Amino acid sequence: MLKRIHHVGIVVRNLDEAYRFYRDALGLHVHKTAEVRDQGVKAALLRVGHSEIELLEPIDPRGTVARFLEKRGEGMHHICFETDDVERELAAARAKGIPLIDEKPRRGLAGRICFLHPKGTAGVLVEYAQPVD
Ligand code: CO
């Protein structure tokens, strides 16, 4: 079962510049930053209530996020739903014939994660995350 929206991923050209808007205009604060090499990004997580905004700045020009930015510009990149069993959620999506980006869960910023392909999700890249601590 999906429990809540864990975070919304937003692609930006420059993390520091984008953060100025989220901090000064919206009053949100970064609680975690990280480089996620296999996704080719620098990321900053901002808390808003029980959910987060995940700002993503590409650092690898050949990565998928860099290509997304080039093609579509800054803006919403993906929506992430929290689950307590990412394996089961992924298996359920596979059984329904939804095209997958990840065949197996992997380690991401939000815990154990996987992505469904936007061609099967009405155009929005969907992430499932099972937090680990
Ligand atoms: Co994400």
Side-chain angles (χ1 to χ4, degrees):
M1 194 186 61
L2 301 179
K3 297 162 77 178
R4 63 175 176 127
I5 292 174
H6 185 280
H7 65 266
V8 174
I10 294 171
V11 176
V12 300
R13 252 173 236 295
N14 181 287
L15 220 48
D16 297 330
E17 270 172 38
Y19 179 41
R20 234 172 281 149
F21 164 73
Y22 286 92
R23 183 191 57 207
D24 298 347
L26 303 188
L28 305 182
H29 297 282
V30 169
H31 74 90
K32 188 174 170 188
T33 58
E35 275 191 16
V36 189
R37 300 220 173 234
D38 66 330
Q39 292 178 53
V41 296
K42 232 167 45 176
L45 297 177
L46 293 76
R47 264 200 197 109
V48 49
H50 294 295
S51 300
E52 291 175 355
I53 298 290
E54 181 181 79
L55 300 178
L56 302 165
E57 176 190 326
I59 48 172
D60 174 2
R62 291 155 308 164
T64 56
V65 177
R67 293 207 306 271
F68 179 97
L69 179 63
E70 218 169 89
K71 237 170 64 185
R72 310 204 13 197
E74 290 184 304
M76 196 184 138
H77 180 258
H78 67 271
I79 185 161
C80 176
F81 296 97
E82 182 177 327
T83 172
D84 46 21
D85 189 341
V86 70
E87 306 270 359
R88 190 191 55 213
E89 231 46 78
L90 185 59
R94 184 184 290 112
K96 289 171 190 155
I98 297 167
L100 309 175
I101 289 178
D102 297 300
E103 289 300 326
K104 280 193 311 204
R106 58 186 155 101
R107 197 62 204 248
L109 257 189
R112 301 184 64 234
I113 63 149
C114 65
F115 284 96
L116 311 183
H117 200 287
K119 71 186 176 197
T121 60
V124 175
L125 179 58
V126 170
E127 178 181 9
Y128 290 152
Q130 178 180 352
V132 285
D133 23 42

